[in-house]
Amino acid sequence: MGGFFSSDGPLYQFLDKVGHLVLLNIIWLLCCLPVATIIPATTAFYYATIKSVRRGHGYAFKEFFTSFKNNLGRGIPLSLVLVALGLLLTFNFKVSWQAQTKQSTAFAMVYLVLLFFYAGFVIYICPVLSRFSIRVRPLARIASIMVFRHLPVTILLVAGTGAVAVFLYSAAAAAQSGEGTSPALAMLFLLPGIWCFASTYLVEPVLKKYMPEKPEGDKSWYYE
């Protein structure tokens, strides 16, 4: 029983991971506030989660800000472009759907499909950005290939991310109207971290297919 509650026991290890995920979750939310830093913040969120929380290398706080700083140059332009594109696709979908004609409904379906692939690209680009030190254009090409070549994984990632976003939006809306409960709203500080951790089990097998073969004797954490 003492082993179970010791610092090396499963309970402590579990609580330690949850604590780090909450910390990363809060830092990520704060770093996303400027909007232009959404991509580097999400990249750092993934990087710190997979490296520190899941693989146990380094300190979560330090790993987050190391990645965040290193990817600002590539991440800020990507954020601005992707946010603008997402708003445009969403606006066109809403306008087409609300028109309620056969032609507009057909256009709405097209925009819905485009939004799906857009979401898949945004989800993949952050792990790719965290792993490869190359220019934005080849990064975007790798992420685009992943979306289509690994479609079943893409569907799971988009569905999971969408479910988290809908839950959090509903909780925030309910709280704003006075009908929500604090536990539901508190998930804002935990649920994204849980999903980020869970998504590493989907993303990492895909990422490894695009990494160079492991050099003999290389003990880098991302080859684990």
Side-chain angles (χ1 to χ4, degrees):
M1 183 65 72
F4 182 83
F5 291 101
S6 70
S7 60
D8 294 324
L11 179 61
Y12 179 88
Q13 295 296 324
F14 172 77
L15 293 176
D16 183 62
K17 289 182 184 295
V18 171
H20 281 98
L21 287 175
V22 171
L23 172 66
L24 291 174
N25 203 143
I26 294 172
I27 298 171
W28 170 70
L29 288 170
L30 292 174
C31 289
C32 283
L33 289 178
V35 179
T37 55
I38 287 176
I39 293 298
T42 307
T43 298
F45 194 10
Y46 181 88
Y47 179 80
T49 298
I50 181 62
K51 181 179 180 180
S52 182
V53 180
R54 182 177 161 188
R55 300 279 171 78
H57 294 271
Y59 298 96
F61 184 86
K62 180 180 178 181
E63 298 300 339
F64 182 98
F65 281 105
T66 297
S67 175
F68 183 70
K69 180 181 177 181
N70 290 341
N71 288 299
L72 281 174
R74 296 179 297 172
I76 289 179
L78 265 174
S79 296
L80 295 174
V81 171
L82 290 174
V83 168
L85 179 59
L87 291 174
L88 178 62
L89 289 172
T90 302
F91 174 78
N92 287 342
F93 169 74
K94 286 185 175 180
V95 170
S96 300
W97 184 258
Q98 292 171 356
Q100 295 184 346
T101 66
K102 289 184 178 180
Q103 186 176 16
S104 66
T105 301
F107 276 116
M109 292 300 101
V110 171
Y111 284 121
L112 189 60
V113 172
L114 290 176
L115 279 168
F116 168 81
F117 288 113
Y118 163 83
F121 177 85
V122 172
I123 291 169
Y124 279 121
I125 194 66
C126 295
V128 170
L129 188 60
S130 76
R131 189 63 50 88
F132 301 104
S133 300
I134 54 179
R135 294 179 180 274
V136 173
R137 185 173 293 181
L139 281 174
R141 184 168 62 250
I142 293 173
S144 300
I145 292 172
M146 288 177 172
V147 172
F148 294 96
R149 185 174 292 175
H150 309 280
L151 193 56
V153 177
T154 303
I155 292 172
L156 290 174
L157 287 170
V158 172
T161 304
V164 170
V166 169
F167 177 86
L168 294 178
Y169 177 82
S170 300
Q176 190 173 12
S177 65
E179 300 175 358
T181 59
S182 54
L185 191 58
M187 291 301 290
L188 176 66
F189 302 104
L190 180 59
L191 193 55
I194 293 174
W195 174 239
C196 185
F197 183 86
S199 69
T200 64
Y201 289 93
L202 294 172
V203 174
E204 284 300 306
V206 173
L207 269 180
K208 286 182 178 180
K209 296 180 184 295
Y210 298 85
M211 292 169 56
E213 289 188 15
K214 179 182 178 180
E216 187 175 351
D218 192 324
K219 296 183 179 180
S220 299
W221 67 268
Y222 42 78
Y223 282 113
E224 294 179 2

